[in-house]
Amino acid sequence: MEIPRGFVFSPKEEELLGYYLRRRVNGEPLPGGVIKECDVYGDKNPWEIFREIKPNSSSSSTDDPFYVFTRLKKRKRTAGCGTWKEQFSKKIVGTDYSNSVLGLKRHFVFLTNKDKKSNKSNGRWIMHEYSLPDHHKDQSFVLCRIYDKNAKDANKKKKRDDDFASKLIRLMTTP
């Protein structure tokens, strides 16, 4: 199923864990085409996965996150020409009155094997890996949110520059 034009997928962390990941783990049906399955820890780089998941996107839209279900690799999280290096993790707590732990969010940065720095030519890829807290029958699945931070920063700078140019033109044309 193809995602309709104009559709923006922008779920909250509670929804990613409580609705999407829990349903995937339980084998329940999910809306088609929104979150795909992909081996994030395989032989492909994040920018290659992005081109597969979003084939009609321009390179300037790599700041739009994409979401995938993948099997968890507990040890080294290698992928393509690099490694996903964990920066930090935090518990996601529900917004209900019980304040129960819904899951865990781990923050990763993609580092190439060549120089152990983020790959400048292909962006600075960030991944948030969401997992469930309980010992479930299929705890090997996680939900990942991946995006290119360089593209996001470049788009913010372009928007600031455009806003500044608009204000300047208004000032120059106002009597």
Side-chain angles (χ1 to χ4, degrees):
M1 180 179 166
E2 188 175 322
I3 297 172
R5 285 186 180 272
F7 176 81
V8 176
F9 186 65
S10 183
K12 296 177 183 171
E13 291 178 330
E14 294 87 4
E15 294 166 332
L16 289 173
L17 287 161
Y19 181 78
Y20 292 98
L21 184 55
R22 179 131 346 247
R23 289 177 72 94
R24 169 60 187 93
V25 166
N26 289 335
E28 298 171 17
L30 288 163
V34 177
I35 301 176
K36 302 192 181 195
E37 286 199 23
C38 169
D39 185 7
V40 171
Y41 307 116
D43 59 354
K44 292 183 181 159
N45 295 304
W47 51 92
E48 294 168 327
I49 296 170
F50 172 81
R51 284 193 294 266
E52 279 182 17
I53 300 282
K54 295 186 168 192
N56 299 326
S57 294
S58 67
S59 61
S60 64
S61 66
T62 57
D63 70 323
D64 293 336
F66 63 92
Y67 298 83
V68 294
F69 293 114
T70 194
R71 290 206 177 268
L72 179 61
K73 303 279 171 78
K74 296 231 181 213
R75 299 199 179 241
K76 215 173 185 185
R77 287 173 167 85
T78 59
C81 70
T83 304
W84 288 103
K85 183 176 189 293
E86 186 171 356
Q87 302 295 299
F88 61 89
S89 63
K90 73 173 193 173
K91 292 179 182 177
I92 305 297
V93 178
T95 55
D96 61 0
Y97 293 108
S98 68
N99 287 328
S100 60
V101 175
L102 298 175
L104 184 66
K105 173 185 176 181
R106 290 187 167 99
H107 182 92
F108 293 87
V109 174
F110 187 75
L111 303 176
T112 61
N113 291 333
K114 182 179 172 189
D115 58 2
K116 292 296 180 195
K117 292 186 179 173
S118 295
N119 189 319
K120 303 270 190 260
S121 63
N122 288 302
R124 182 167 182 253
W125 291 88
I126 306 294
M127 177 173 69
H128 299 147
E129 180 190 271
Y130 296 92
S131 59
L132 297 175
D134 49 5
H135 301 288
H136 201 274
K137 62 181 179 187
D138 189 5
Q139 193 61 9
S140 63
F141 270 100
V142 293
L143 193 157
C144 298
R145 176 182 186 263
I146 305 171
Y147 64 95
D148 177 0
K149 187 171 183 338
N150 284 358
K152 186 170 247 162
D153 292 345
N155 285 344
K156 283 181 186 176
K157 183 182 180 314
K158 183 182 181 317
K159 184 177 181 331
R160 279 194 311 265
D161 292 348
D162 290 349
D163 290 347
F164 177 75
S166 296
K167 288 177 185 175
L168 188 60
I169 290 170
R170 276 196 306 265
L171 284 172
M172 293 172 63
T173 57
T174 305

